[in-house]
Amino acid sequence: MAVTARPKLDPQQLRADFPIFEQTVNGKPLSYLDSAVTSQKPRQVLDALRTFYETSYGNVHRGVYYLSERSTEAYEGAREKVRAFVNAPSSREIVFTRGATEGLNLVAYAWGLDNLGPGDVVIVTELEHHSNFVPWQYIASRTGASFRMLRLTEDGELDLSGLDTLGSEGDVKVVATNLVSNSLGTVNPVERLSRWAHERGAIMVVDAAQAAPHRAIDVQVLDCDFLAFSSHKMCGPTSVGALWGRAELLNAMEPFNLGGHMIRRVTVEKTTWGELPHKFEAGTAPIAEAVGFGAAIDYVSAVGLEAIEAHEHELTVYALERLSELPGLVLYGPPPERRAGIISFNVEGIHPHDVAQVLDLEGVAIRAGHHCCQPLMDRLGVVATNRASFYLYTLPEEIDRLVDGLKRVREILG
Ligand SMILES: Cc1ncc(COP(=O)(O)O)c(C=O)c1O
């Protein structure tokens, strides 16, 4: 039987692309284990931004002059890169947003306000980031729809056995979930949820903020209706992201933001809207940011999403093994087969912020807090956790430094 080798990446070699790693922190090598909150940027993306500003910058879709045409070409080229990255049928279905949060708000407001009402049910999960929880909770309360939460198993996975009860509480109109949880790293069964949602005539909304940087995404395989993600978590600039939505839904929706660029004709009596995707891109676009986002897509695609996923899986297995050697350390979340490169934990008796501060003295950057998942923290019975997260440039040595740092935390804080 032929054995196909899993694609491999060389994190040490990739690290050389990231100027930020050339520095030390507190005299120690920088161990950046907080990529889930935002990723570092490679030279290729920084160079693309500089080159764009130096050679092609102008406003898009406005001018008939050379620079505007070049700028428009680069901006629309980036849209096509996003389309290919998620295998969307058409680039008209790709809306540039400020990030995942704006994309999810766009759907909640522009779809939800006109399609939800009393008797309808909106389902989110106990694992949601606030950006896919609060907009739905708010729009449900504005429209009179019921807002319900699919609970978790003890392992931190979605308890799908709860679906039928939720489904019996009314007319399910929205199922909203992340593909990968930013707190526990859980990889969620979106295809199954899409099927369940569609059987009931509901839309499936996917928050892919933690998935897009780390694994290949195909909206046609996921069979969802909307999918949102951010550039800054995948080697690109801040303040830009993308929302993919089915053209028939986007076409039927009212705009979210109003103003320049998104109109067809404005008179005192009436304004009509531009075509997709411009209808949803009011105001001056994040032009250079979108071009940088396109460069980031080129970068992670050249490394290879499968190789990134495999690398992070190895790191996760290693980290879970090493962390479980430490006494008094509580680990949250599912086994490595069903989780991405994100590990939440607590050191018994020590507040997560104190843990993170001592680790910083060792040059190790991890996150401490509720990770914008307060309902999940309530479920875990904690106010906060520590979280280490990995990316294509993460080295096993950084995990060793985390483990050594945690031993130091015990020595210092007891
Ligand atoms: C799962 C998840 N969804 C949404 C977001 C929001 O992303 P952004 O702040 O880039 O809009 C984050 C950011 O941490 C996230 O982890």
Side-chain angles (χ1 to χ4, degrees):
M1 197 174 80
V3 178
T4 328
R6 292 188 91 183
K8 254 202 144 1
L9 58 75
D10 179 350
Q12 198 73 57
Q13 193 190 335
L14 292 174
R15 241 172 136 79
D17 292 337
F18 292 77
I20 205 148
F21 294 127
E22 287 161 18
Q23 66 192 298
T24 52
V25 172
N26 296 321
K28 311 273 168 62
L30 167 59
S31 299
Y32 185 71
L33 298 177
D34 200 14
S35 290
V37 80
T38 198
S39 73
Q40 297 301 341
K41 317 300 172 201
R43 254 187 210 96
Q44 289 83 338
V45 170
L46 304 175
D47 288 349
L49 281 168
R50 170 174 280 273
T51 304
F52 176 71
Y53 273 125
E54 288 183 351
T55 65
S56 309
Y57 181 69
N59 209 336
V60 293
H61 302 135
R62 272 193 184 157
V64 288
Y65 53 85
Y66 174 75
L67 279 183
S68 179
E69 278 170 14
R70 273 185 71 110
S71 200
T72 304
E73 207 177 291
Y75 180 70
E76 290 305 325
R79 195 190 306 280
E80 172 53 27
K81 288 177 188 183
V82 175
R83 184 210 63 74
F85 188 68
V86 297
N87 195 30
S90 162
S91 60
R92 292 173 55 242
E93 299 178 321
I94 304 295
V95 177
F96 281 122
T97 61
R98 277 192 57 231
T101 302
E102 190 180 70
L104 296 164
N105 272 274
L106 190 162
V107 181
Y109 274 86
W111 191 90
L113 280 180
D114 284 337
N115 288 285
L116 293 173
D120 293 337
V121 180
V122 175
I123 300 176
V124 300
T125 84
E126 203 167 20
L127 265 185
E128 280 335 283
H129 187 281
H130 294 161
S131 59
N132 201 24
F133 190 103
V134 181
W136 290 115
Q137 183 182 46
Y138 177 71
I139 296 297
S141 82
R142 287 267 304 263
T143 56
S146 306
F147 177 72
R148 293 284 181 271
M149 189 168 76
L150 182 61
R151 305 239 172 224
L152 296 180
T153 64
E154 285 303 311
D155 252 2
E157 298 183 75
L158 298 181
D159 183 358
L160 300 185
S161 71
L163 279 173
D164 287 337
T165 309
L166 295 176
S168 67
E169 292 184 16
D171 208 354
V172 180
K173 286 283 182 66
V174 178
V175 179
T177 184
N178 53 57
L179 180 46
V180 171
S181 149
N182 64 307
S183 272
L184 302 184
T186 315
V187 180
N188 291 313
V190 166
E191 286 170 61
R192 263 184 82 180
L193 286 168
S194 291
R195 225 171 17 252
W196 188 86
H198 290 155
E199 278 163 15
R200 282 151 188 82
I203 59 163
M204 182 73 215
V205 181
V206 177
D207 169 2
Q210 294 295 343
H214 308 282
R215 49 188 53 229
I217 288 191
D218 184 328
V219 293
Q220 301 188 52
V221 170
L222 292 175
D223 197 27
C224 52
D225 299 291
F226 295 97
L227 180 133
F229 58 109
S230 299
S231 142
H232 71 95
K233 294 184 195 287
M234 48 183 290
C235 296
T238 49
S239 297
V240 67
L243 172 72
W244 167 78
R246 286 187 198 278
E248 62 270 29
L249 293 172
L250 291 172
N251 269 323
M253 282 154 60
E254 291 296 311
F256 176 48
N257 287 317
L258 305 166
H261 287 282
M262 50 74 67
I263 53 87
R264 182 194 305 273
R265 176 87 177 100
V266 181
T267 64
V268 73
E269 290 79 25
K270 182 178 162 70
T271 296
T272 51
W273 318 132
E275 296 289 332
L276 290 181
H278 310 296
K279 177 170 114 178
F280 293 105
E281 293 184 359
T284 300
I287 307 164
E289 289 81 356
V291 172
F293 186 10
I297 287 177
D298 289 343
Y299 184 81
V300 297
S301 304
V303 173
L305 272 301
E306 269 184 64
I308 295 172
E309 186 183 341
H311 172 64
E312 291 171 4
H313 178 72
E314 274 178 27
L315 291 170
T316 305
V317 170
Y318 180 62
L320 286 171
E321 225 174 74
R322 295 266 5 239
L323 289 168
S324 55
E325 289 164 12
L326 299 174
L329 193 123
V330 184
L331 286 162
Y332 305 101
E337 311 80 75
R338 293 192 298 283
R339 86 149 82 193
I342 292 176
I343 298 182
S344 268
F345 60 90
N346 268 318
V347 181
E348 266 171 0
I350 305 179
H351 194 282
H353 284 123
D354 297 338
V355 172
Q357 246 166 5
V358 173
L359 287 172
D360 180 53
L361 298 174
E362 304 296 316
V364 178
I366 64 160
R367 184 133 298 248
H370 54 63
H371 318 297
C372 299
C373 290
Q374 287 183 346
L376 172 64
M377 296 298 119
D378 290 345
R379 167 59 190 263
L380 299 176
V382 296
V383 286
T385 70
N386 288 114
R387 181 188 71 183
S389 54
F390 317 135
Y391 204 14
L392 50 87
Y393 42 65
T394 307
L395 305 171
E397 296 89 286
E398 294 179 285
I399 291 166
D400 294 336
R401 284 186 217 121
L402 167 67
V403 172
D404 292 344
L406 288 168
K407 290 179 183 160
R408 194 86 194 98
V409 168
R410 271 279 177 241
E411 281 164 23
I412 296 176
L413 300 173

